[in-house]
Amino acid sequence: MKRLIPSGRLLAPLMLAACAGAGTAHAHDAPATMPPVAADAMGLVKAAVVDMRNCSKAKYPPGTLPEVAQGTTFLSLLIGTDGAVLESQLERSSGHPQLDEAARAALSICHFTPAQQNGQPVQQWATVAYVWEPEAK
């Protein structure tokens, strides 16, 4: 009789691959952590911690009205071994290119907790969501 369910050895890598998606964080919210991602034969990678509470808040660009220009900018950030952002990519626009660029610029100068593999820091991509909304008065 043929087995329809993969063996445990095949299922585990599939489950790790399914968990490899990045976490999201809202600006100035609690730290975002991502599930472990598949590494190599040496072990798993402990995900980078993207805690945006330590970042300066992005400012609305000149000529942009907070009451009109709102949305969420999704960015992928390459977190280096020292926690610095080495690279950034726009994953999904807020619908306002000026806001997307302001979020990218603000988050690119932040420092985060790098991912670790076998106790050593490693580079890892993390996805964050920067929410643009007017400040409460």
Side-chain angles (χ1 to χ4, degrees), residues 70-91:
Q70 299 178 30
T72 303
T73 301
F74 289 88
L75 297 166
S76 286
L77 306 174
L78 179 59
I79 311 299
T81 57
D82 63 351
V85 177
L86 303 176
E87 208 175 313
S88 61
Q89 296 177 351
L90 180 65
E91 294 297 327

Side-chain angles (χ1 to χ4, degrees), residues 19-74:
C19 293
T24 58
H26 292 280
H28 303 284
D29 281 353
T33 57
M34 298 179 296
V37 295
D40 53 24
M42 297 186 68
L44 294 178
V45 174
K46 180 180 174 187
V49 178
V50 180
D51 182 353
M52 297 189 332
R53 292 178 294 182
N54 298 323
C55 297
S56 297
K57 188 173 181 181
K59 306 249 186 270
Y60 271 91
T64 308
L65 298 174
E67 300 79 27
V68 177
Q70 299 178 30
T72 303
T73 301
F74 289 88

Side-chain angles (χ1 to χ4, degrees), residues 3 10 17 19 35 41-42 44 48 55 61 63 65 83 100 105 116 120 123 129:
R3 292 183 66 177
L10 294 175
C19 293
M42 297 186 68
L44 294 178
C55 297
L65 298 174
D100 299 336
Q116 292 202 355
Q120 299 298 314
Q123 290 183 10

